[in-house]
């Protein structure tokens, strides 16, 4: 697609500083340079000339020094510093991961809803992008799954401009010439275009001798349904590569050496890898830098062409080592920010990174039983290396969680591989033409890498083409929801929702005083059974808390029940039991009364939810996050992220700790704070209920325990909860645990119910309630004794049956066939007997009254070319409606074994064996 021509591409800075436009003869793109050039200084149009060129004024900057120099430069030029945000984008509903620094400010700031914390500002934001994960190592550090985006941003309003294109280019020019020491003649600017997070605009790539060091974006559009529309603000969105700046100044052979320094040697020792000599490695990187290499196979061919054939093996192993350096750092970033590996969302992406790292170990010839030892050693070295350094210091804080999760997930992956080989074998037998969609499905469903599928398929002479960017395809598929969504609100009829848009914000009396039980209000609008008031104490269904019910008294003293309360943006609407449009009109004054006992129980359950969440985080770890919640009259539930099922001891600790907070009678505090003020004071843990796009956030704080952005009604004091009892714990999906609990007067109600159960058990056993435990234990022991005795009888009876059926076995064309009829109704005896007979070379025909089962040894079936599924096909000629299925050696038929059916089964077997039918 041709580049849009925008006025920003021809600006004062370029023209006044004698930059001239040139067209690259290789890529055809326009770039600006102080000296004539035939190709743009970007690979693959040019090589990495910076690796061999001398820059007398360029200092050797470490990774940390490059970051610090950038921050100090822009602070010196009036930019306020913003601390980096996590790589897990909790403040967004449309993204799982922070992929760029501007993500921190989208959409609240970029849409003009919220002012930025500073304007202009500087931030160095760790980011994760997995779309190029298959290129890691292969491009020697040009691609990374995690990287630091050093950025300065300016948010321009029409009434208050900050700066735009020329000043941005001037800053870039000054930073690279004055701070980094790059000669001006070596700096070029290339016209480009950028899109992301719902915004777009023209941009310049800052290029120096083959390496792109920065991208300067001028965000002037928002993208709506594929169309470019003017953005409320025009935004300077820049991204300087800290890793690339360090690489440029250090001139190390690869970017990995500049980023990881001494850690490279640690990894070489653990993995027993020898890189090529430094000068050879640098020359390989330089010579291949203008070749568009997309796979390891292509790189190997290139090494042969440039005369480095003898280093192919060393380069291949080095690339795997670079991959592990990158992936493990990215994984530790994800885990230390609280991601829990799972089969959905951000958890899926964390598991993808870890499993690709394990696949890399496999490529280095490590067997699965060695995975744990090696991967944990590599992870621990990263934790040590990054200790005390920028945001990576948190690796040490979360070491126990990181190591425990990696070990747990690695063991899980080994189990997956063991099961996977059987699954793959069945697939390749069933399906001869395996496509990309099949590989994606088997990876998503079972976690089986495509290389294993291809390897197993090869045993059956089936060729599978695995795309070199397979994991990039997977990452793109699971990158996040398709569009930005506001927090989900209860659905109301579309015509009512449209009607509500015309009303002003409803005053929320339930926030001002959640204990208020009655009120008066002015009617703003009526539509059938729906009524809008200027203020209300009725809480709408939101945030997992049910709505209030009660009644409204109208001017004619008619009292009508409120059966539902809903919120659309900031307008609250009450749904009544009947149409009230004839008895009330806008301007009338009405009175409302809530069902207080119901409200109070919901308040208890809601506040208890915050207490339980705080307890879970303290018992299980800071990674715990609310994945869902619901507060009803009967109970509350809290779904939390955690990588394994809770033990009874952990559940008990959470409950005890929660009740300690009840006993401490902590006074709740309610704040209305600006978005960035709230985030700075309490951190991003405030977004337990999901992202909130609003200028101000209502923070519900239990001092020293929990603080969340929350719309719900709460108690004033934790002591009012009365008590908390966890009544059920369940793993509802991979990485998510559900806690169900009750609070307040529900606790004695639940206790009474349990006492009733105990009394019923005692009555059944004819004992007192105090003897229940001992009585059940005696009953259980007796049950076990009887079960052992029953197994002995089963074994003896099975031997008798075995002798009986083999004595009456039929010989069909050399195949021994036995018929077993279930005369006792004990499936266990017959199931074991069928298995025993089939293993000994018999074809067993089992009549279980409701169905018929045929089973034989799989090897014997293959040897005799028998496929029992043909029996089903033959029977359907006479019995069209018959249901059945199975494998070549084992089928089940939903039919009664009559004399005619048995005869047809035997004839079908004879035909497969090639002997005469009856």
């Amino acid at each position: 697609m041709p580049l849009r021509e925008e006025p920003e591409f021809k600006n004062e800075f370029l023209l006044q500083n004698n930059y001239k436009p040139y067209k690259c003869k290789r890529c055809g793109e326009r770039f600006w340079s102080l000296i004539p050039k035939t190709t743009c200084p970007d690979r693959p149009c040019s090589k990495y000339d910076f690796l061999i060129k001398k820059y007398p004024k360029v200092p050797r900057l470490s990774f940390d020094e490059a970051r610090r120099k950038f921050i100090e430069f822009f602070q010196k030029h009036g930019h306020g510093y913003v601390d980096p945000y996590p790589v897990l984008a909790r403040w967004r509903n449309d993204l799982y991961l922070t992929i760029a620094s501007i993500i921190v400010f989208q959409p609240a700031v970029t849409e003009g809803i919220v002012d930025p914390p500073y304007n202009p500002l500087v931030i160095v934001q760790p980011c994760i992008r997995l779309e190029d994960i298959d290129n890691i190592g292969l491009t020697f550090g040009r691609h990374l799954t995690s990287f630091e985006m050093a950025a300065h941003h300016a948010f321009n309003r029409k009434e208050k401009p900050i700066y735009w294109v020329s000043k941005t280019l001037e800053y870039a020019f000054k930073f690279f010439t004055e701070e980094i020491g790059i000669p001006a003649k070596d700096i070029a600017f290339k016209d480009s275009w950028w899109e992301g997070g719902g915004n777009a605009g023209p941009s310049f790539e800052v290029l120096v001798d083959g390496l792109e060091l920065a991208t300067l974006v001028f965000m002037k559009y928002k993208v709506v349904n594929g169309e470019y529309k003017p953005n409320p603000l025009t935004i300077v969105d820049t991204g300087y590569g800290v890793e690339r700046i360090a690489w440029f100044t250090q001139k190390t052979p690869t970017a990995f050496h500049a980023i990881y320094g001494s850690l490279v040697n640690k990894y070489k020792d653990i993995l027993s890898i020898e890189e090529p000599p430094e000068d050879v490695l640098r020359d390989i990187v330089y010579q291949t830098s203008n070749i568009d290499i997309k796979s390891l196979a292509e790189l190997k061919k290139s090494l042969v062409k440039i005369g480095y054939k003898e280093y192919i093996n060393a380069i291949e192993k080095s690339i795997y080592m670079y991959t592990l350096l990158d992936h493990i750092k990215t994984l530790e970033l994800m885990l230390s920010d609280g991601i829990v590996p799972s089969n959905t969302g951000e958890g899926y992406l964390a598991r993808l990174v870890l499993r690709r790292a394990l696949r890399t170990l496999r490529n280095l010839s490590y067997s699965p039983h060695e995975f744990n030892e090696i991967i944990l050693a590599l992870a621990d070295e990263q934790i040590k290396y990054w200790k005390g350094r920028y945001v990576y210091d948190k690796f040490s804080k979360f070491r126990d969680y990181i190591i425990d999760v990696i070990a747990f997930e690695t063991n899980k992956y080994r189990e997956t591989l063991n099961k996977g080989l059987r699954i793959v074998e069945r697939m390749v037998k069933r399906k001869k033409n395996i496509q990309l969609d099949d590989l994606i499905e088997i990876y998503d469903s079972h976690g089986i890498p495509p290389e294993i599928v291809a390897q197993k398929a090869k045993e059956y002479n089936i060729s599978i083409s695995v795309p070199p960017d397979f994991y990039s395809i997977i990452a793109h598929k699971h990158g996040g929801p398709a569009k930005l969504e506001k927090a989900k609100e209860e659905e109301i009829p579309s015509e009512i929702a449209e009607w509500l848009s015309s009303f002003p914000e409803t005053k929320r009396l339930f926030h001002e005083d959640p204990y208020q039980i009655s009120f008066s209000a002015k009617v703003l609008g009526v539509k059938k059974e729906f009524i809008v008031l200027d203020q209300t104490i009725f809480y709408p269904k939101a945030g997992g808390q049910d709505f209030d019910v009660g009644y409204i008294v109208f001017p004619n003293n008619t009292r009508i029940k409120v059966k539902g309360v809903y919120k659309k943006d900031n307008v609250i609407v009450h749904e009544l039991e009947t149409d009230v449009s004839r008895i009330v009109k806008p301007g009338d004054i009405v009175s409302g009364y809530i069902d207080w006992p119901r409200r109070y129980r919901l308040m208890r359950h809601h506040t208890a939810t915050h207490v339980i969440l705080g307890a879970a985080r303290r018992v299980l770890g800071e990674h715990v996050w609310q994945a869902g919640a619901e507060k009803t009259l009967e109970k509350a539930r809290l779904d939390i992220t955690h990588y394994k099922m809770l033990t009874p001891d952990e559940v008990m600790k959470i409950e005890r700790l929660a009740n300690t907070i009840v006993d401490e009678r902590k006074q709740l505090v309610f704040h209305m704070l600006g978005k960035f003020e709230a985030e700075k004071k309490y951190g991003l843990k405030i977004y337990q209920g999901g992202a909130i796009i609003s200028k101000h956030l209502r923070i519900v704080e239990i001092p020293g325990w929990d603080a969340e952005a929350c719309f719900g009604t709460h108690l004033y004091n934790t002591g009012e909860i009365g008590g908390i009892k966890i009544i059920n714990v369940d793993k509802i999906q991979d990485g998510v645990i559900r806690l169900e609990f009750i609070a307040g007067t529900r606790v004695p109600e639940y206790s009474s119910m349990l006492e009733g159960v105990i009394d019923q058990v005692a009555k059944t056993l004819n004992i007192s309630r105090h003897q229940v435990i001992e009585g059940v234990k005696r009953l259980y022991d007796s049950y076990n004794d009887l079960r052992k005795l029953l197994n002995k009888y089963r074994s003896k009876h099975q031997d008798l049956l075995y002798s009986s059926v083999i004595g009456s076995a039929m010989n069909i064309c050399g195949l021994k066939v036995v018929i077993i009829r279930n005369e006792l109704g004990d499936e266990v005896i017959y199931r074991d007997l069928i298995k025993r007979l089939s293993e000994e070379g018999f074809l067993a025909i089992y009549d279980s009254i409701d169905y018929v089962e045929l089973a034989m040894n799989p090897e014997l079936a293959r040897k005799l070319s028998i496929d029992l599924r043909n029996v089903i096909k033959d029977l359907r000629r006479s019995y069209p409606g018959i249901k059945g299925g199975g494998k070549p050696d084992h089928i089940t038929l939903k039919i009664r074994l009559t004399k005619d059916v048995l005869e047809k089964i035997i004839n079908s077997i004879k035909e497969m064996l090639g002997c005469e039918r009856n």
Side-chain angles (χ1 to χ4, degrees):
M1 188 177 81
L3 196 64
R4 293 167 61 101
E5 189 59 63
E6 299 282 343
E8 285 77 11
F9 289 135
K10 295 179 181 179
N11 60 83
E12 288 181 12
F13 175 83
L14 294 174
L15 300 175
Q16 289 179 2
N17 287 276
N18 297 316
Y19 271 89
K20 300 289 190 295
Y22 298 93
K23 184 176 181 179
C24 178
K25 70 176 184 180
R26 184 163 179 178
C27 69
E29 298 293 341
R30 184 173 65 196
F31 66 97
W32 301 77
S33 175
L34 290 174
I35 57 175
K37 292 178 183 285
T38 56
T39 59
C40 64
D42 190 15
R43 55 88 35 221
C45 302
S46 300
K47 289 183 177 180
Y48 285 159
D49 292 324
F50 77 93
L51 284 175
I52 60 172
K53 195 170 178 178
K54 295 189 183 299
Y55 304 97
K57 294 184 179 180
V58 173
R60 183 182 175 87
L61 298 176
S62 70
F63 186 30
D64 295 325
E65 288 168 340
R67 180 195 313 112
R68 186 164 54 250
K69 191 170 277 289
F70 179 86
I71 293 170
E72 290 173 353
F73 173 81
F74 281 97
Q75 283 181 316
K76 186 170 60 180
H77 287 85
H79 293 64
Y81 174 70
V82 176
D83 287 323
Y85 273 50
V87 295
L88 178 54
R90 297 288 195 191
W91 63 96
R92 299 284 298 260
N93 283 324
D94 59 332
L95 287 172
Y96 296 130
L97 302 174
T98 307
I99 58 173
S101 61
I102 195 64
I103 297 302
V104 173
F105 309 103
Q106 288 176 317
V109 177
T110 57
E111 290 287 327
I113 300 168
V114 176
D115 288 332
Y118 305 100
N119 198 7
L121 60 83
V122 58
I123 183 172
V124 178
Q125 177 62 45
C127 301
I128 294 179
R129 293 182 190 172
L130 302 180
E131 285 81 359
D132 294 316
I133 194 169
D134 292 292
N135 288 324
I136 305 304
L138 196 63
T139 57
F140 301 105
R142 191 175 76 254
H143 292 97
L144 302 166
T145 56
S146 59
F147 58 93
E148 289 184 18
M149 182 176 286
H152 62 97
H153 297 291
F155 303 90
N156 299 283
R157 294 179 182 270
K158 285 183 180 179
E159 68 277 12
K160 192 177 179 182
I162 306 300
Y163 60 79
W164 195 229
V165 182
S166 290
K167 193 67 176 176
T168 304
L169 267 67
E170 180 187 333
Y171 279 141
F173 186 81
K174 280 187 175 180
F175 176 73
F176 286 119
T177 56
E178 296 174 10
E179 299 295 324
I180 306 301
I182 300 172
K185 64 181 178 59
D186 293 327
I187 300 174
F189 298 93
K190 184 179 177 181
D191 295 356
S192 189
W193 183 261
W194 181 92
E195 290 191 24
N199 294 109
S203 66
F204 286 101
E205 295 171 0
V206 183
L207 309 171
V208 181
D209 293 329
L211 193 63
E212 180 187 341
L213 293 178
T215 301
L216 316 175
V217 179
F218 304 99
M219 190 187 291
K220 54 192 284 194
Y221 300 109
K222 59 180 177 180
V223 185
V224 182
N225 297 324
E227 293 184 19
Y228 298 111
K229 297 189 175 181
N231 205 54
L233 283 70
T234 54
I235 300 158
V236 173
D237 172 26
T238 66
Y240 291 60
V242 178
E243 291 85 354
R244 292 190 180 191
I245 293 170
W247 186 20
F248 181 90
T249 65
Q250 292 181 41
K251 294 180 180 295
T252 51
T254 75
F256 296 102
H257 295 82
I259 301 163
Y260 296 98
S262 61
L263 190 59
V264 174
N265 289 330
K266 291 279 188 183
Y267 269 47
K268 283 162 66 173
D269 291 343
I270 293 170
L271 299 168
S272 300
I273 284 174
E274 279 297 325
E275 291 179 288
E278 185 175 328
D279 57 336
V280 172
L281 181 56
R282 182 181 285 104
D283 194 48
I284 287 172
V285 174
Y286 174 70
Q287 295 290 352
T288 58
S289 59
N290 68 336
I291 304 171
D292 197 13
I293 295 168
K294 295 180 179 177
S295 68
L296 192 56
E298 290 181 13
L299 178 60
K300 289 178 180 179
K301 289 178 183 177
S302 297
L303 290 176
V304 173
K305 286 182 183 177
I306 62 176
Y308 285 114
K309 182 179 179 180
E310 70 270 30
Y311 291 105
I312 286 177
N313 186 53
I315 284 291
E316 181 176 3
K317 288 186 175 181
S318 297
I319 285 173
Y320 291 144
M321 178 184 67
Y322 304 149
T323 300
L324 289 165
L325 280 162
D326 170 274
H327 284 17
I328 291 172
K329 173 171 172 264
T330 297
L331 181 64
E332 292 187 358
L333 264 174
M334 296 169 114
L335 295 179
S336 61
D337 275 347
I339 293 182
V340 175
S342 68
N343 52 17
T344 58
E346 66 271 9
Y348 181 98
L349 299 176
R351 182 171 285 168
L352 171 71
V353 174
L354 174 57
R355 291 191 171 182
R356 195 171 185 278
L358 294 172
R359 170 247 196 187
T360 303
L361 286 180
R362 190 183 180 95
N363 290 341
L364 284 168
S365 301
Y366 288 100
S367 61
H369 76 268
E370 296 175 290
F371 283 176
N372 238 327
E373 181 185 352
I374 301 298
I375 198 82
L376 293 179
L378 297 175
D380 217 23
E381 288 300 332
Q382 289 258 10
I383 292 169
K384 293 174 189 173
Y385 180 75
W386 295 107
K387 185 174 176 61
R389 299 178 61 185
Y390 201 47
V391 298
Y392 312 108
D393 184 52
K394 62 187 172 185
F395 294 176
S396 297
K397 178 183 176 183
F398 294 102
R399 181 189 178 279
D400 290 347
Y401 172 66
I402 290 170
I403 295 299
D404 199 22
V405 168
I406 292 176
F408 182 82
E409 284 289 315
T410 300
N411 288 331
K412 196 169 185 177
Y413 181 63
R414 286 169 56 192
E415 292 170 9
T416 295
L417 289 182
N418 293 333
K419 293 177 185 175
L421 291 174
R422 296 192 293 273
I423 295 168
V424 170
E425 189 168 17
R426 288 199 296 270
M427 176 189 244
V428 296
K429 284 180 183 177
R430 186 182 76 251
K431 197 167 187 177
K432 302 301 180 186
N433 185 19
I434 297 174
Q435 303 293 326
L436 175 60
D437 287 345
D438 299 311
L439 295 175
I440 292 174
E441 181 184 350
I442 200 167
Y443 183 84
D444 277 351
S445 302
H446 306 287
I448 303 165
E451 298 84 5
I452 291 178
V453 181
Q455 185 180 342
K456 179 57 68 172
K458 194 174 181 181
E459 296 175 14
Y460 291 85
N461 296 317
I462 299 172
S463 178
I464 297 177
S465 176
V466 179
D469 61 343
F470 176 82
Y471 292 92
S472 299
I473 294 168
I474 292 290
H476 180 74
K477 178 185 173 187
H478 292 271
K483 61 182 181 180
L484 187 68
E485 297 175 347
K486 290 187 177 181
K488 187 178 178 182
E489 294 176 339
E490 191 71 13
E491 289 187 9
I492 51 179
S494 57
E495 62 172 307
I496 299 300
E498 189 176 339
W499 172 62
L500 293 177
S501 63
S502 62
F503 293 104
E505 180 177 349
T506 307
K507 187 176 182 181
R508 299 188 286 269
L509 298 176
F510 52 80
H511 278 168
E512 293 182 6
D513 181 4
Y515 294 83
Q516 186 178 342
I517 62 175
S518 65
F519 74 111
S520 296
K522 183 196 292 185
V523 177
L524 298 183
V526 184
K527 196 175 186 69
K528 297 180 182 178
E529 67 271 27
F530 292 93
I531 185 169
V532 177
L533 308 175
D534 66 338
Q535 59 182 8
T536 186
I537 60 170
F538 282 91
Y539 181 81
K541 190 173 181 70
Q545 180 179 325
D546 208 355
F547 51 69
D548 285 327
V549 297
Y551 59 88
I552 291 177
V553 179
F554 292 91
N556 63 358
N557 289 325
T558 302
R559 188 169 81 171
I560 298 177
K561 286 184 178 179
V562 176
K563 70 174 189 178
V565 188
Y566 308 101
K567 183 169 79 78
K568 177 64 178 172
D569 296 326
N570 289 316
V571 179
I572 294 171
V573 62
H574 309 73
E575 184 182 10
L576 304 174
E577 280 194 330
T578 60
D579 186 338
V580 295
S581 58
R582 294 179 182 276
I583 64 172
V584 71
K585 63 183 184 301
D588 286 348
I589 303 298
V590 297
S591 300
Y593 301 83
I594 62 167
D595 181 340
W596 170 247
R598 185 178 189 278
R599 155 75 76 80
Y600 195 55
R601 184 170 280 189
L602 289 170
M603 287 166 63
R604 277 177 151 170
H605 277 152
H606 200 149
T607 304
T609 302
H610 287 221
V611 172
I612 284 280
L613 179 60
R617 293 178 74 90
R618 283 160 178 81
V619 172
L620 304 174
E622 289 294 305
H623 62 278
V624 168
W625 200 273
Q626 177 179 308
E630 185 179 29
K631 305 92 185 176
T632 66
L633 285 175
E634 299 304 313
K635 63 184 178 182
R637 68 163 173 84
L638 174 66
D639 300 338
I640 58 171
T641 55
H642 190 56
Y643 56 101
K644 57 186 177 183
M645 185 58 180
L646 305 194
T647 65
D649 184 57
E650 288 170 333
V651 176
M652 187 180 295
K653 284 179 179 176
I654 291 170
E655 186 180 286
R656 283 178 178 169
L657 199 52
N659 280 300
T660 298
I661 298 304
V662 174
D663 290 341
E664 288 180 2
R665 297 188 55 78
K666 288 181 176 287
Q667 198 74 11
L668 276 71
V669 183
F670 305 90
H671 312 273
M672 285 299 293
L673 300 175
K675 169 183 161 63
F676 291 106
E677 182 186 359
E679 290 175 355
K680 187 171 184 178
K681 185 174 182 178
Y682 297 107
L684 296 175
K685 293 185 181 70
I686 59 175
Y687 296 119
Q688 295 294 329
I692 300 173
I693 304 167
S694 176
K695 189 168 186 175
H696 294 97
L697 302 178
R698 179 177 184 260
I699 303 297
V700 176
E701 181 185 6
I702 303 174
W705 190 254
D706 180 74
E708 300 177 34
C710 182
F711 191 77
T713 56
H714 284 273
L715 305 168
Y716 280 166
N717 189 291
T718 60
E720 292 184 65
I721 296 172
I724 298 172
K725 178 64 187 171
I726 298 174
I727 59 173
N728 188 49
V729 179
D730 196 15
K731 182 179 179 181
I732 61 169
Q733 70 181 59
D734 204 16
V736 179
I737 305 296
R738 172 164 292 174
L739 299 169
E740 292 182 328
F741 51 95
I742 52 178
T745 52
R746 277 292 293 131
V747 176
E749 287 176 7
Y750 183 75
S751 297
S752 296
M753 182 273 293
L754 290 181
E755 286 176 343
V757 171
I758 293 169
D759 287 342
Q760 188 62 45
V761 172
K763 185 178 178 181
T764 303
L765 297 178
N766 195 26
I767 57 177
S768 71
R769 67 153 61 175
H770 304 295
Q771 297 172 313
V772 163
I773 293 175
E774 188 60 36
V776 170
K777 185 178 183 300
R778 284 198 304 269
L779 184 65
Y780 183 70
D781 290 342
S782 177
Y783 162 77
N784 280 332
D785 291 340
L786 289 172
R787 189 172 61 176
K788 290 174 185 175
L789 184 60
L790 177 61
N791 287 336
K792 288 180 182 178
Y793 283 131
R794 278 173 171 165
S795 179
K796 287 187 178 295
H797 189 71
Q798 189 186 108
D799 290 340
L800 292 172
L801 281 173
Y802 176 79
S803 300
S804 173
V805 295
I806 63 171
S808 59
M810 297 179 286
N811 190 315
I812 300 177
C813 307
L815 176 63
K816 293 177 290 184
V817 179
V818 293
I819 299 171
I820 309 161
R821 299 186 188 276
N822 188 341
E823 295 172 344
L824 293 176
D826 188 339
E827 284 284 336
V828 175
I829 293 176
Y830 297 101
R831 185 71 47 214
D832 290 343
L833 183 60
I834 292 166
K835 183 180 178 184
R836 180 178 173 183
L837 289 165
S838 62
E839 287 175 351
E840 293 181 7
F842 291 88
L843 166 61
I845 301 175
Y846 174 50
D847 177 13
S848 183
I849 303 176
D850 292 331
Y851 65 91
V852 177
E853 191 173 334
L854 277 69
M856 65 186 298
N857 187 294
E859 292 299 323
L860 182 60
R862 277 194 288 272
K863 182 179 177 182
L864 297 177
S865 299
I866 287 178
D867 188 339
L868 294 177
R869 292 174 296 187
N870 290 327
V871 173
I872 302 172
K873 295 176 185 176
D874 291 342
L875 281 173
R876 280 179 177 154
R877 295 191 189 104
S878 302
Y879 305 95
I882 186 175
K883 292 182 179 179
K887 302 182 293 184
D889 58 283
H890 193 160
I891 62 168
T892 303
L893 300 158
K894 189 71 175 173
I895 194 170
R896 296 181 73 87
L897 190 64
T898 63
K899 184 179 178 181
D900 181 61
V901 170
L902 179 60
E903 185 178 324
K904 285 181 169 55
I905 289 173
I906 290 171
N907 282 335
S908 181
I909 293 165
K910 285 181 176 180
E911 189 172 321
M912 282 186 276
L913 291 170
C915 58
E916 189 178 339
R917 293 169 58 109
N918 291 339

